[in-house]
Amino acid sequence: MTAQPTDPTDPPLDPYRLPRLVLPQRYGLSIAPDLERALFQGSVNIAVTVRQSTAVIVLNALDLTISSITAADDRGRTLAGVCTLDQKAERCHLTFPEPLAPGDWTLSLDFHGGMNDQLRGLYRSTYTDDTGTVRHLAVTQFEATDARRAFPCWDEPDLKARFALTLIIDPALTALSNTAPLSEEIQEGRKIVRFAETITMSTYLLAFVVGQLEGSEPVYVGRTPIRLWAVPKKTHLMQVGRDIAAASLRFFEDYYGMPYPGDKLDLIAIPDFSHGAMENLGAVTFRERALLIDEAAASQGELEDLANVVSHENAHMWFGDLVTMAWWNGIWLNEAFATFMEALAVQEWKPEWQPLRMFLTSRASALSVDGLNSSRPVEYPVRDPKDAAGMFDVLTYHKGAVVLRMLEQFIGETLFRDGIRDYLKTHAYANAETEDLWASIGTVAGLPVSALMNGWIFLAGYPLLTVRRDGPSHLLLTQQRFRYLTPEPAASGQAPQAESLWQVPVHLQVRAGGRERSHKFVLAEATMRLAIPEDFESLIVNEGGHGFYRVRYEPDLFDRLQARLPDQLSSTDRFTLINDAWALCQAGLAPIASYLDLTTRFRDERDRHVWGLILESFGLLNQLIEATDRSSFSRLVQDRVQPAVSDLGWNPRKGEDGLTGQLRGDLIEALGTLGEDRTAQARAKSLYNGLPGNGGGIDPNLLPALVSIVAYTGEAPEYERFVHRFKQAATPQEERRYLFSLAAFRPKPLIARTLDSTLNGDVRTQDAPALLGALLGNVEAREMTWTFIKRHWETMERLFPPVGLRRMCGAVVNLATPELERDVRTFFTERRLDFGGKLAQQYLERLRIVVQWRERESEALRRYLRPFSMQSTTMRDSH
Ligand code: BES
Ligand code: ZN
C-alpha cells in the first residue's frame, strides 16, 4: 500500500502520530465534574488551522463519549460531523459531509466520561476529613498521554496551543488550574470559574484540581505569587515547601536569565497521586508527602526529598513547560535537566546539606542499570503510550542528569549556563531536540559538543576504563563497554557488533613525590598511553567522580590507591572506589573476598553516601546468602558497622549537622536488622517504648531506625501499634514511615495481613504497589509476596496506577534463588509483561546477574564468612 499523505482519509503512516493536516491553536474548554457520581461533562471549542482541505479530522480521545460535533469557519459556515472512536489507537475520527477548506475553523464538541480510580486522566481522589466524612477531589494527571482521557485533543507534545478553561463546580469547593481565575460567578446553584488563557503549551501540562482546598499565604518572587494548597487542616505543614518553592523559583529566574513564564504558581498536595509530583505550569501537583512536612519532626532525608521534588518541578517551568521535547524519545531533555537543576537550586538554598552529592548517588544507580545488556540509549524510539511511560526510568533521569553534569564540569559552569540560556531563548513556547541543545551549548562554548556528547545519549552502556602500568614510565588506559553479564553470542550469520567507543572526559590525578596533580583530557580511542613521573606513587582515574564510567585498576595500582584510605582520598573518591569495586565484583571481574576486605578500610568512614553504598551491598548479600550462613553474615555486618556506631553514639551531639544524624540512624538501623545485634535491638526497643505517645522528644533522624528495628524484631502487639500509628499519623512522613515499616515484620500471619491490606482498601493505591515491592525485599516475606502477586495479578492491573505496578515488578530482583528466578521468568513470559521500552528485560537481567553471582560466589562467600561463625568469633580480626 502506498500511503498518500496528501489524502486525508488515508491512515497516517504511524498509527501513534496524528496527521498534521489540521493543527490546534486554542482550546476553549469547559468541564463540569460531578464528584459524587464520579462523572464529568464537558464541551470544547477548538480553534484550528486547516492546512490542507480535508473531510476527516483525527485527534486523540479515550474512554470518552463524544456528541454534537460541528466545524464552523470564519464566514459563518457550519458543518455537522460524526465521530468514530478507535479505542486501540486512542483516537477519534471526525468525519464531515464535505471537506473543510484550508483556513481557520472552530471545532465544537460535547463529551462526557467517568472519573477513574487509576490516578490518571481526570480522576477522583478520596480522603476522610476530621469529622469522619468521606470527601472527594477531582484531579488531573495528564503526562504522558492521558489528557485524551479528559477531553478530545491533539495530545502530542509538539502540538502546542493555548487553553482557556472554565470549570463548573459545587459552590462550596475551590478550583485551581494553570492560570489565575478571571471570574467566578454563581449560576443556577453552580459556581462558574473562568481561568485566564494559558501560554502556548503542550496538552500534557494542562491541569486542574477541584475540592475543599486551603491555601497558604502567598509569597512573592518578583511579581509571581506562590501559594501552597492542601485539603483542610494542613496549612501548618507548608512552611518548608513554601521556602524552597520561593528559593528555587528565584534561583531559576536568575540561572535561566528569564522570568517565570506563568502568572502565578500554585503547589497543590493531593491525597491520591500516582507519581511524586507533576510540573503542570502554574499548578504543580504533588503527593502529600512531597509537599507537606513538619520541619521539627522530619528526618534529614525526608527534608531533602521534599526540597528536591519541589525544586525539580520548578525547574521544569522552563525546562519542559516553556521549551518542550518534540516527542517522547527526547523526554530526557525534560527529566534529566530538572534532575540536574534540582540539585543546583538546593545547593543555593542549603549548601550545608551537600545536595550536589546527589550526582554521586544518581551516577551509581544509573551505572547499575546501564551496565545491563538490556540497557538502552538515553534517547530511544517511542511508538505507543506504553513506550512513552516506560521512558521515565533511571536512565532518563539519572544517566541523563549525570552526563549533563559531566559536560558542565568539563566545559565549565558559566559556559554551560550560558548555553542553556541560549537554548531556552531560542526555543521558548516551542519544542526542541537533543541536537538543538548541543547546538546552543556548542556555539556558546566554541566546542564540538555533539561529538563529545552523542555517545552518552545515543549509545546504550558506558565504558570500563582499565588502567595498568606499561613499563616503568608509562600507563596504559583502555576503554571497553562495561557489562555485568557476558552477552549471548550473536545469532548465527549476524556479524558481531562492533564495540562502542565513547569520548570519555577523563580527570586523572597523579600523586608523585608526595604531591598531587590533576589532568583533564578526552580519551576518544580504545587505548591511550600516558607518561608518568619517575617518583610516581599512585593515581586516581575519574577524580571527583564526574565521569560516567567505571575504573578497573590493575592489582598493584589498586593496592597503592587502597593504601591511601581513609584520609588521603576525598569522600567523593572513596565513593567511586567502593562503588566500582562492588560492581566489578558483581561482574565477576574481582573476587568477593577482595570487596569484603576493602570494606574493612571503611570502619572510620563518616560520609553518609559512602556508607549508603556499603550498606546497600550488605543488603544485596543478605538477599542471596544461604540460610545457614546468615548468622555469620550478621557478625560480619556487626564487625564493619559497630565501630562507627560506638564512635557516633546513640545521641546527637551538640551542634552536629543533620547529615551526621542521618548517618547515625542509617548505621544503627543496619546494626539492628542486617547485623542482628541483640544489644542494639534491645536498646532500640526500650528507647522506642519510652517515647511519649506522640513520638516526640527524640532526634527525628534516629526515630526511623528505631521504627525499623522494632518492626524487624516485632510481633503482633508491635504490629497493631504500628498499624494504628499509620492510620492516626499527624504528618505524611509519619504515615509513610509506619506504613512501610509493616513490610519489615517477619511472622507469617503478620505478613499475610500486610499483603491483604494492599488490596482491601486499607492502603491507598498510590502506595500499595510500593509496599508489595518492599515486602519482596523482606527475605522472610518474599516468597509469600510473590505468590500473592501472581494470584492477584489481574486485580492489581485493574486497581494500581501503571507506574506503581511497573516499579513493584522491579523488586523481583530480590527473588534471588534459582527456583524463584525460573518462576519469575515463566510468569513474565506467560503474561507477556511489557512495561514499555526494555524495562521487563532489565528486571529479568538484574535477577539473572544476582542469581548467577550467587552460584558463582557462594562457596567463596561461605569460606570468607567462616571466621565469623559463632564458634570462632575471636578469629574475626584475621581479615
Ligand atoms: N514529569 C514528572 C512526573 C511524571 C512522570 C508524570 C511520568 C507522568 C509520567 C515529574 O517532573 C517528576 O519527575 N516527578 C518525580 C519526582 C522527581 C523529584 C524525580 C516523580 O514523580 O517520581
Ligand atoms: Zn520531572
Side-chain angles (χ1 to χ4, degrees):
M1 189 186 79
T2 52
Q4 282 277 345
T6 49
D7 180 352
T9 57
D10 264 350
L13 295 173
D14 179 338
Y16 293 100
R17 298 304 297 268
L18 294 169
R20 263 57 180 167
L21 298 175
V22 178
L23 297 180
Q25 308 298 344
R26 179 187 185 274
Y27 294 81
L29 176 62
S30 165
I31 294 188
D34 178 343
L35 293 180
E36 291 314 311
R37 288 159 58 211
L39 299 172
F40 62 93
Q41 284 208 337
S43 63
V44 63
N45 300 312
I46 315 174
V48 300
T49 305
V50 176
R51 300 163 80 202
Q52 235 171 61
S53 172
T54 177
V56 180
I57 297 181
V58 186
L59 62 162
N60 296 111
L62 182 58
D63 295 341
L64 293 175
T65 308
I66 299 175
S67 57
S68 56
I69 300 147
T70 61
D73 70 6
D74 42 12
R75 281 158 308 195
R77 223 162 76 96
T78 301
L79 298 172
V82 293
C83 164
T84 51
L85 291 168
D86 178 347
Q87 175 82 18
K88 187 160 177 291
E90 308 185 355
R91 294 172 164 189
C92 61
H93 296 240
L94 309 178
T95 309
F96 296 92
E98 55 185 273
L100 280 60
D104 294 337
W105 290 78
T106 300
L107 207 60
S108 300
L109 311 168
D110 290 347
F111 58 91
H112 60 92
M115 285 189 239
N116 65 72
D117 292 320
Q118 273 212 343
L119 318 187
R120 55 170 161 168
L122 171 48
Y123 69 92
R124 193 164 77 151
S125 173
T126 304
Y127 65 99
T128 307
D129 72 10
D130 60 341
T131 67
T133 313
V134 173
R135 306 248 176 216
H136 301 294
L137 298 99
V139 185
T140 60
Q141 168 57 47
F142 289 168
E143 193 176 23
T145 57
D146 289 325
R148 63 192 67 172
R149 293 171 186 268
F151 67 108
C153 57
W154 276 260
D155 196 13
E156 296 186 13
D158 64 331
L159 295 168
K160 287 192 172 187
R162 289 165 285 125
F163 299 84
L165 176 68
T166 301
L167 291 174
I168 302 155
I169 62 171
D170 178 339
L173 303 181
T174 302
L176 300 170
S177 182
N178 303 86
T179 51
L182 285 179
S183 67
E184 276 193 23
E185 52 182 305
I186 306 286
Q187 268 182 26
E188 294 165 21
R190 307 288 283 165
K191 181 154 80 175
I192 302 183
V193 188
R194 289 195 174 77
F195 294 94
E197 191 169 291
T198 66
I199 63 166
T200 300
M201 65 180 200
S202 307
T203 45
Y204 79 86
L205 293 168
L206 187 71
F208 59 85
V209 179
V210 178
Q212 276 200 339
L213 295 167
E214 268 177 26
S216 68
E217 286 301 309
V219 43
Y220 283 84
V221 169
R223 296 217 305 266
T224 310
I226 303 177
R227 266 196 197 81
L228 274 63
W229 297 87
V231 299
K233 305 264 151 71
K234 307 216 174 193
T235 50
H236 63 289
L237 301 173
M238 292 178 175
Q239 194 53 46
V240 178
R242 197 161 158 262
D243 287 352
I244 177 61
S248 59
L249 204 72
R250 204 171 292 126
F251 173 79
F252 293 132
E253 288 199 331
D254 179 54
Y255 185 97
Y256 296 136
M258 207 185 271
Y260 167 66
D263 62 351
K264 56 88 188 174
L265 177 58
D266 289 323
L267 296 90
I268 314 158
I270 311 287
D272 299 276
F273 198 76
S274 65
H275 290 75
M278 175 65 211
E279 70 267 27
N280 315 297
L281 179 71
V284 182
T285 41
F286 294 81
R287 43 172 72 198
E288 289 186 336
R289 63 174 170 262
L291 186 64
L292 307 175
I293 200 164
D294 173 358
E295 185 168 14
S299 73
Q300 174 69 20
E302 288 162 348
L303 287 165
E304 288 176 11
D305 287 350
L306 184 131
N308 285 337
V309 181
V310 172
S311 166
H312 176 105
E313 305 310 332
N314 276 352
H316 274 310
M317 299 299 112
W318 292 259
F319 251 104
D321 294 7
L322 184 64
V323 179
T324 312
M325 72 281 155
W327 178 244
W328 300 107
N329 63 337
I331 186 64
W332 83 277
L333 289 170
N334 276 9
E335 296 303 347
F337 250 97
T339 304
F340 172 87
M341 293 302 308
E342 97 195 26
L344 267 52
V346 179
Q347 167 71 22
E348 179 87 1
W349 185 57
K350 293 273 179 196
E352 67 275 21
W353 289 2
Q354 305 179 1
L356 298 178
R357 312 226 352 112
M358 178 205 85
F359 288 114
L360 291 180
T361 47
S362 282
R363 184 172 302 101
S365 63
L367 288 171
S368 87
V369 175
D370 206 21
L372 302 175
N373 293 324
S374 54
S375 187
R376 62 163 180 91
V378 169
E379 187 161 323
Y380 189 66
V382 169
R383 217 173 80 91
D384 59 15
K386 196 171 247 174
D387 287 340
M391 287 296 278
F392 293 83
D393 67 355
V394 169
L395 296 165
T396 289
Y397 280 78
H398 299 287
K399 180 176 179 183
V402 300
V403 302
L404 286 172
R405 178 72 170 164
M406 178 167 77
L407 174 62
E408 184 216 32
Q409 291 300 304
F410 193 70
I411 68 173
E413 294 174 2
T414 308
L415 284 180
F416 183 86
R417 185 203 62 196
D418 291 348
I420 299 310
R421 289 182 176 178
D422 181 79
Y423 168 85
L424 289 174
K425 216 164 45 211
T426 311
H427 304 285
Y429 305 101
N431 298 80
E433 313 246 13
T434 297
E435 201 43 54
D436 297 319
L437 177 66
W438 302 154
S440 284
I441 302 177
T443 311
V444 168
L447 283 171
V449 171
S450 311
L452 182 66
M453 292 305 291
N454 279 347
W456 305 101
I457 299 297
F458 294 105
L459 294 176
Y462 57 86
L464 171 67
L465 263 54
T466 305
V467 50
R468 58 173 65 92
R469 293 288 280 269
D470 188 21
S473 55
H474 284 86
L475 290 175
L476 203 62
L477 207 54
T478 61
Q479 63 159 306
Q480 187 184 16
R481 180 166 171 185
F482 174 86
R483 296 173 186 278
Y484 289 102
L485 288 181
T486 315
E488 307 275 319
S492 58
Q494 268 185 331
Q497 269 206 326
E499 266 295 333
S500 312
L501 284 184
W502 286 264
Q503 296 214 4
V504 188
V506 179
H507 290 211
L508 181 77
Q509 188 216 76
V510 176
R511 189 180 159 94
R515 294 216 341 264
E516 283 143 23
R517 287 188 55 186
S518 297
H519 311 265
K520 268 194 199 183
F521 57 91
V522 174
L523 169 67
E525 305 299 327
T527 61
M528 191 173 188
R529 203 157 176 257
L530 299 165
I532 46 171
E534 248 171 45
D535 48 359
F536 170 83
E537 291 167 27
S538 66
L539 87 165
I540 303 173
V541 184
N542 204 9
E543 184 191 15
H546 297 298
F548 192 71
Y549 52 86
R550 298 194 191 275
V551 183
R552 182 184 186 194
Y553 298 89
E554 73 170 359
D556 169 58
L557 293 173
F558 189 71
D559 288 343
R560 287 162 179 264
L561 192 53
Q562 262 200 96
R564 288 169 64 177
L565 287 168
D567 297 334
Q568 287 179 36
L569 292 180
S570 71
S571 59
T572 310
D573 294 327
R574 298 198 299 273
F575 184 97
T576 311
L577 182 68
I578 194 102
N579 191 29
D580 287 351
W582 176 236
L584 291 171
C585 177
Q586 286 186 71
L589 297 171
I592 180 84
S594 79
Y595 174 77
L596 291 173
D597 278 345
L598 181 62
T599 60
T600 60
R601 297 183 179 257
F602 286 81
R603 291 194 185 101
D604 294 327
E605 181 62 58
R606 293 297 174 269
D607 182 88
R608 171 176 58 132
H609 295 292
V610 177
W611 263 119
L613 286 178
I614 298 173
L615 298 180
E616 193 187 313
S617 71
F618 290 164
L620 183 60
L621 286 175
N622 184 53
Q623 296 293 345
L624 45 80
I625 204 116
E626 306 295 338
T628 46
D629 295 334
R630 204 166 286 284
S631 57
S632 317
F633 175 67
S634 293
R635 274 186 291 277
L636 175 129
V637 174
Q638 291 176 20
D639 174 71
R640 303 301 196 260
V641 173
Q642 180 63 62
V645 172
S646 306
D647 175 45
L648 288 168
W650 282 57
N651 298 311
R653 308 217 169 115
K654 252 209 179 68
E656 88 177 11
D657 58 12
L659 303 186
T660 307
Q662 185 81 33
L663 172 65
R664 174 185 300 109
D666 294 349
L667 290 169
I668 288 176
E669 177 177 339
L671 192 61
T673 56
L674 291 176
E676 291 279 8
D677 185 299
R678 302 278 178 253
T679 321
Q681 290 175 348
R683 184 157 182 191
K685 276 190 257 190
S686 87
L687 267 176
Y688 186 83
N689 290 332
L691 295 179
N694 62 10
I698 186 161
D699 177 20
N701 286 313
L702 189 58
L703 183 60
L706 303 187
V707 170
S708 290
I709 296 172
V710 173
Y712 179 78
T713 55
E715 305 278 341
E718 289 79 19
Y719 189 88
E720 299 303 342
R721 200 162 154 203
F722 283 13
V723 168
H724 180 77
R725 296 303 300 251
F726 159 61
K727 292 192 170 151
Q728 302 298 318
T731 67
Q733 287 70 30
E734 187 180 10
E735 180 180 346
R736 170 173 183 275
R737 178 173 313 137
Y738 285 102
L739 173 59
F740 285 95
S741 79
L742 301 182
F745 283 84
R746 292 179 294 170
K748 297 277 187 280
L750 302 180
I751 295 170
R753 277 183 60 187
T754 309
L755 288 172
D756 285 340
S757 77
T758 62
L759 291 178
N760 68 9
D762 281 351
V763 176
R764 292 181 185 276
T765 60
Q766 68 168 12
D767 295 321
L771 184 59
L772 288 163
L775 282 160
L776 284 173
N778 173 342
V779 175
E780 302 296 327
R782 63 186 174 189
E783 281 197 62
M784 265 174 89
T785 305
W786 176 238
T787 307
F788 183 85
I789 289 174
K790 285 189 296 181
R791 179 169 332 126
H792 297 287
W793 182 255
E794 270 98 24
T795 314
M796 294 182 186
E797 267 192 318
R798 188 163 38 81
L799 284 184
F800 295 165
V803 54
L805 200 71
R806 163 158 47 99
R807 291 184 184 162
M808 175 185 89
C809 288
V812 297
V813 65
N814 294 300
L815 298 167
T817 70
E819 305 73 43
L820 286 169
E821 184 200 5
R822 260 194 304 279
D823 196 52
V824 170
R825 277 187 183 274
T826 309
F827 185 75
F828 271 50
T829 315
E830 277 174 1
R831 298 273 170 170
R832 296 180 197 211
L833 294 195
D834 178 4
F835 307 108
K838 293 195 165 190
L839 288 170
Q841 293 102 297
Q842 290 170 1
Y843 297 163
L844 293 176
E845 189 181 343
R846 285 193 147 195
L847 181 55
R848 183 85 279 270
I849 291 166
V850 176
V851 173
Q852 193 191 71
W853 188 50
R854 171 195 190 126
E855 287 168 344
R856 190 177 61 225
E857 297 286 345
S858 64
E859 245 333 287
L861 187 56
R862 171 158 313 144
R863 240 177 294 125
Y864 194 89
L865 290 176
R866 209 162 287 149
F868 292 91
S869 70
M870 195 58 111
Q871 295 79 357
S872 49
T873 38
T874 49
M875 276 178 64
R876 70 184 181 205
D877 288 329
S878 66
H879 281 287

